[in-house]
Amino acid sequence: MKPPKTPGFATRAIHAGQEPDPLTGAVTVPIYPTSTYVQQGIGENKGYEYSRVTNPTRSRLEENLAALEGGIEARVFSSGMAAIHAIVTMLKSGDHVLCGNDLYGGTPRLFNQVMSDFGLEFSYIDTTDANNVERAIRKNTRIVYVETPTNPMMRISDLAAISAICRRKKVALVVDNTFMSPYFQQPLALGADLVVHSTTKFLNGHSDGLGGVVVCARKDHAEKLAFLQKASGAILSPFECWLVLRGVKTLAARMEIHDRSGRTVADFLSKHNKVEAVFYPGLIHHPEHALAKRQMSGFGAMISFETGSLKNANKMLKKVRICSLGESLGGVETLISHPATMTHAGLGPKGRKEIGITDGLVRISVGIEDVDDILDDLQQALDAI
Ligand SMILES: Cc1ncc(COP(=O)(O)O)c(C=O)c1O
């Protein structure tokens, strides 16, 4: 007899961890808004003691996200930053983390302005060349931390090559997969040890709640992170777990539209005379286009483009109507932002210059509205320059 076929991604998104409720048959996972659970006697309970430690709605979401990323277990946290914080609190004073140099601005802020006071060391390199990783790993390096595509310059790192180096050097590889979602990129299958997401973005998909997840390939990491949920308590509330469970059911369908419209918008921008450069891995001139095609099954919805100056960026951003000017990404609505004054303000002018973030750079997260309406909106906004 043939072994049962593993269900496809869209099927897992809808069914993994989301089996009908055994008590009532409800097709959606119930929200358990409880802080505690009645126990039958000393040491006798139904597997739940206190909601900081475990909650049934949270367990279902963790099961679902582990299935989507191909991990053994997942742990959800109150935001993407709380998830990243949990990862580095698995380390000890004196340990070193080697990071990509083009990360979401909040990540180096946490590393440099908070965690370095606790004796952790952080250094930053260009991970688009895997040889740089090999050279920069030190004796005390415990984690290589990579975002691919990067935020906001959309550079791609070779996860299979970096994970081979990490394995050889016995260093854990952590990948922030927020931009691609597990629908387009599966870092654990390429050898990463941990995948982190801001679920606030594509996994939730509706811009209605913050959250973070770490998906683990190793039991020791999963156990340590469960301990950290209990010990430090930055867990996701049952209601917000349920919002992510609801959002994830349409992840495959949404990502298909995000990707299709992302390609259309990138093409439009790359032909526009007011746009000086477009950063999108789906464009043939992107420096890692070939790698992106190999490593990801889509190019996604995130695009950055150069308007030439702060003045030009401001003129166009004041004019957008369908595209909403604001921080964040990955929602059904098109979000447009200005990295130099928003997400990456904390890097300072020197830090931004090092990775190519200019004052004229604009980032767009293409939503799932009718793409012609997005194009018309961008056209009329760019006319203001
Ligand atoms: C790539 C990436 N990782 C992590 C985060 C942090 O997530 P959160 O805002 O949910 O804390 C963000 C936020 O924008 C992000 O873009």
Side-chain angles (χ1 to χ4, degrees):
M1 227 173 57
K2 270 199 198 159
K5 187 172 145 280
T6 311
F9 188 94
T11 309
R12 275 179 285 145
I14 293 166
H15 294 288
Q18 309 221 40
E19 295 77 16
D21 175 41
L23 189 65
T24 62
V27 292
T28 47
V29 171
I31 304 171
Y32 286 87
T34 189
S35 54
T36 193
Y37 308 84
V38 170
Q39 307 199 17
Q40 290 69 55
I42 295 173
E44 280 176 60
N45 57 60
K46 297 183 174 171
Y48 294 95
E49 293 161 61
Y50 191 62
S51 271
R52 177 164 23 82
V53 186
T54 38
N55 175 281
T57 317
R58 198 171 93 211
S59 306
R60 298 287 204 99
L61 175 61
E62 290 175 338
E63 208 182 303
N64 177 274
L65 297 180
L68 295 188
E69 279 289 0
I72 56 159
E73 282 180 42
R75 303 283 174 243
V76 293
F77 294 88
S78 54
S79 66
M81 288 319 304
I84 296 167
H85 179 255
I87 292 173
V88 286
T89 51
M90 291 198 286
L91 302 177
K92 291 193 172 57
S93 170
D95 288 345
H96 170 245
V97 182
L98 179 63
C99 310
N101 62 358
D102 178 16
L103 303 174
Y104 163 62
T107 305
R109 178 174 54 213
L110 169 71
F111 291 172
N112 302 341
Q113 296 180 45
V114 182
M115 300 315 294
S116 60
D117 287 345
F118 291 82
L120 295 182
E121 291 171 27
F122 299 91
S123 59
Y124 299 86
I125 54 157
D126 175 3
T127 54
T128 59
D129 180 351
N131 294 321
N132 292 342
V133 176
E134 173 110 49
R135 280 192 289 269
I137 287 178
R138 306 175 188 167
K139 270 211 169 76
N140 59 342
T141 305
R142 298 287 171 262
I143 283 177
V144 169
Y145 188 98
V146 173
E147 216 175 283
T148 180
T150 59
N151 180 1
M153 299 311 293
M154 306 304 298
R155 298 295 302 270
I156 313 286
S157 295
D158 186 337
L159 293 179
I162 296 176
S163 76
I165 295 165
C166 289
R167 235 142 255 258
R168 199 158 14 89
K169 302 260 188 183
K170 299 197 172 16
V171 173
L173 174 61
V174 179
V175 179
D176 184 332
N177 200 24
T178 300
F179 271 27
M180 281 295 108
S181 91
Y183 187 66
F184 285 136
Q185 179 167 267
Q186 304 248 319
L188 298 182
L190 297 169
D193 298 282
L194 294 159
V195 167
V196 63
H197 283 271
S198 165
T199 64
T200 315
K201 320 299 183 201
F202 291 100
L203 290 173
N204 172 308
H206 295 75
S207 306
D208 55 12
L210 294 185
V213 64
V214 187
V215 186
C216 311
R218 283 170 35 185
K219 195 80 189 155
D220 58 331
H221 285 148
E223 281 170 5
K224 183 81 193 210
L225 288 166
F227 174 75
L228 285 166
Q229 284 181 319
K230 171 173 157 172
S232 44
I235 42 92
L236 197 61
S237 77
F239 178 63
E240 282 178 311
C241 288
W242 183 84
L243 284 176
V244 181
L245 276 167
R246 187 162 86 143
V248 148
K249 286 185 189 178
T250 56
L251 182 65
R254 283 187 285 110
M255 291 314 288
E256 284 291 331
I257 305 174
H258 279 302
D259 181 64
R260 199 168 60 229
S261 299
R263 291 173 198 232
T264 308
V265 171
D267 185 52
F268 163 84
L269 290 170
S270 65
K271 291 180 182 141
H272 201 286
N273 63 354
K274 302 274 178 65
V275 175
E276 295 180 8
V278 183
F279 307 95
Y280 182 68
L283 292 172
I284 203 130
H285 67 253
H286 183 282
E288 289 93 34
H289 176 65
L291 170 62
K293 264 186 17 194
R294 218 169 51 236
Q295 181 162 284
M296 295 139 46
S297 53
F299 299 117
M302 300 304 300
I303 306 164
S304 294
F305 60 97
E306 182 56 56
T307 61
S309 66
L310 179 63
K311 205 167 145 207
N312 285 348
N314 201 24
K315 273 188 193 161
M316 89 152 286
L317 291 172
K318 269 185 187 287
K319 280 275 179 184
V320 287
R321 295 189 197 113
I322 303 265
C323 306
S324 309
L325 174 61
E327 304 210 10
S328 204
L329 59 109
V332 288
E333 59 290 290
T334 298
L335 288 163
I336 196 158
S337 67
H338 183 244
T341 56
M342 293 177 162
T343 45
H344 292 71
L347 289 186
K350 188 167 165 276
R352 287 195 295 276
K353 194 165 178 218
E354 269 167 24
I355 52 176
I357 303 175
T358 62
D359 287 351
L361 192 78
V362 171
R363 190 190 76 183
I364 182 165
S365 165
V366 180
I368 64 169
E369 302 97 335
D370 291 297
V371 72
D372 287 344
D373 293 330
I374 302 171
L375 297 181
D376 287 350
D377 192 34
L378 289 170
Q379 177 63 56
Q380 65 81 26
L382 285 164
D383 283 346
I385 297 180

